[in-house]
Amino acid sequence: MNLTRRHFLAAATGILASHASGQALAASNVAYVTPNGQGNGTSWEDAANIAALPQLIKMVGPGGIIALLAEGQYEVAEPIEISGANGAEVTVFRSSRN
């Protein structure tokens, strides 16, 4: 499937709307990423770095969610290779800490 930026933004908007109640995401299949993250991604306080994206995808598994903090600038030194099981979707979207 060839997803465009428009597809990604549409999906992210829908997911953000579903979490607009102000509740923090909290589930075992959710990972958190911040520009300066150095943790394992299990919470905003222990957020991972964007370079850990491949490991986080494996961690959250099919149907999982990866929340990228919508603050700061993400620095990527080299390409991030992402792979997974065919048809096993993981959603990545921008989020606030709420």
Side-chain angles (χ1 to χ4, degrees):
M1 179 187 300
N2 185 12
L3 295 179
T4 65
R5 178 182 165 113
R6 180 175 290 167
H7 289 107
F8 174 78
L9 292 175
T13 301
I15 292 167
L16 287 174
S18 71
H19 294 288
S21 65
Q23 294 178 323
L25 299 173
S28 60
N29 66 339
V30 177
Y32 302 86
V33 177
T34 62
N36 299 317
Q38 296 181 353
N40 62 15
T42 56
S43 67
W44 284 124
E45 293 75 26
D46 202 17
N49 187 281
I50 191 73
L53 196 54
Q55 293 82 11
L56 295 174
I57 290 171
K58 290 177 185 171
M59 180 180 90
V60 300
I65 297 172
I66 299 175
L68 299 177
L69 183 63
E71 294 176 7
Q73 192 169 22
Y74 289 85
E75 300 289 333
V76 179
E78 47 190 76
I80 300 172
E81 188 171 322
I82 299 173
S83 63
N86 188 20
E89 295 182 8
V90 171
T91 303
V92 180
F93 71 97
R94 291 179 15 196
S95 177
S96 65
R97 290 184 195 249
N98 295 347

